[in-house]
Amino acid sequence: MKINGKDFVLNKSTTVSEYLEKNGYVQAHIVVELNEKILPKDMYERTYLKDEDCLEILTFMGGG
């Protein structure tokens, strides 16, 4: 699969939420695009990544 434009091999069944947590992403500060569609935050825990997926993680910092 591709994550942020780089090839990545999944070694086990992983949800979007698990991947984000393992890699130190703060869910409040990101937007996830899966296969060119924005993935709602409430879907992170039940969406499993597949070898053919393309995942983009956009990080932003909230401002006042």
Side-chain angles (χ1 to χ4, degrees), residues 11-39:
N11 294 322
K12 66 177 188 122
S13 183
T14 303
T15 65
V16 171
S17 184
E18 289 169 338
Y19 176 82
L20 295 173
E21 184 176 321
K22 181 180 177 187
N23 289 280
Y25 288 98
V26 178
Q27 290 189 22
H29 296 164
I30 62 168
V31 172
V32 171
E33 183 182 279
L34 182 62
N35 301 323
E36 300 182 2
K37 295 181 181 171
I38 299 295
L39 185 66

Side-chain angles (χ1 to χ4, degrees), residues 20-61:
L20 295 173
E21 184 176 321
K22 181 180 177 187
N23 289 280
Y25 288 98
V26 178
Q27 290 189 22
H29 296 164
I30 62 168
V31 172
V32 171
E33 183 182 279
L34 182 62
N35 301 323
E36 300 182 2
K37 295 181 181 171
I38 299 295
L39 185 66
K41 290 186 187 301
D42 65 347
M43 295 292 293
Y44 291 2
E45 289 188 16
R46 50 190 172 192
T47 301
Y48 283 85
L49 297 170
K50 300 181 284 303
D51 287 337
E52 64 273 11
D53 284 340
C54 181
L55 185 72
E56 295 290 331
I57 302 166
L58 311 169
T59 305
F60 64 93
M61 300 306 254

